[in-house]
Amino acid sequence: MFVEFDAVPFRPAGEQHVVCGATPAGFGAPVYVDGPETQPHDVFRRLLERYPRLPKGLKSADELKAAGLRASNLFRPDAYVLGSSQLVTIPGVPTGTGRTTQAWEETVHPPSPVYRADKAVPFSTRPHADEAQAVRREAIRWAQDVLDDPDTVILAVSAIGSPAPSTPPLERAVPYEIALTSTSGRKR
């Protein structure tokens, strides 16, 4: 099914979870784009132009490293930036009836984490115990805020497949169950 983007109300803004193609991005952090006008495909360009532009103060880990800096916490990006569109082939998988499902192609915009350059520290600086504890306390506070939010849902995906090393990686697991649960444990 194909729907023109203009036919669907969509205004990405603020903190959100975003699915762009099969790639989730955001996870509670703002999502930006960098150079949507360079997208060769008109539909994808119109989609990406709806996202806010990447602010100048946000840099990738590689950009920070090139400047002799590192993010104060690599595991807590300040935002994500959606990359250029990529066409990914999803291979067919064997079914229980001895047949194989048909392969298909999907366009994704892989997200990359970015960090505030003004919060970066010298690359050679190791975090001391107080810094590590502060990061830990911040992570605990963030998790508690997320769990206290009545609109929070938890996404759990269980997969089954072949663990055999000879099976190609994309064919090893197939989604089996996807569940949305509130923080109180009620299924959504």
Side-chain angles (χ1 to χ4, degrees):
M1 182 173 102
F2 182 81
V3 176
E4 283 289 331
F5 291 116
D6 292 334
V8 180
F10 174 72
R11 287 191 206 100
E15 295 187 357
Q16 60 185 326
H17 295 257
V18 174
V19 175
C20 199
T23 308
F27 303 107
V31 178
Y32 298 103
V33 294
D34 191 18
E37 64 281 350
T38 63
Q39 291 290 320
H41 194 282
D42 186 49
V43 173
F44 295 133
R45 184 174 51 254
R46 288 193 348 247
L47 168 68
L48 293 177
E49 285 174 344
R50 293 176 183 227
Y51 286 86
R53 302 292 174 110
L54 181 68
K56 291 185 180 191
L58 292 172
K59 305 290 181 193
S60 70
D62 287 341
E63 289 172 319
L64 291 175
K65 187 176 182 180
L69 301 170
R70 68 170 172 80
S72 59
N73 183 354
L74 277 175
F75 301 106
R76 186 81 196 276
D78 293 298
Y80 289 86
V81 61
L82 295 178
S84 298
S85 59
Q86 296 179 6
L87 191 61
V88 177
T89 301
I90 312 297
V93 293
T95 65
T97 62
R99 296 182 180 173
T100 300
T101 62
Q102 189 174 3
W104 73 91
E105 292 182 334
E106 191 163 317
T107 301
V108 297
H109 298 271
S112 299
V114 287
Y115 307 88
R116 287 180 50 181
D118 62 346
K119 298 260 184 171
V121 295
F123 192 78
S124 60
T125 306
R126 296 187 118 171
H128 48 68
D130 291 344
E131 242 186 309
Q133 282 300 319
V135 168
R136 184 174 184 273
R137 284 191 299 274
E138 181 186 340
I140 290 170
R141 264 194 311 277
W142 173 83
Q144 192 60 57
D145 288 346
V146 169
L147 292 174
D148 287 345
D149 183 347
D151 292 331
T152 295
V153 292
I154 299 164
L155 172 67
V157 179
S158 298
I160 60 170
S162 170
S166 60
T167 306
L170 287 176
E171 294 178 18
R172 286 187 192 160
V174 293
Y176 174 68
E177 179 182 55
I178 299 174
L180 282 176
T181 311
S182 70
T183 54
S184 65
R186 289 188 64 175
K187 288 183 182 176
R188 292 285 181 103

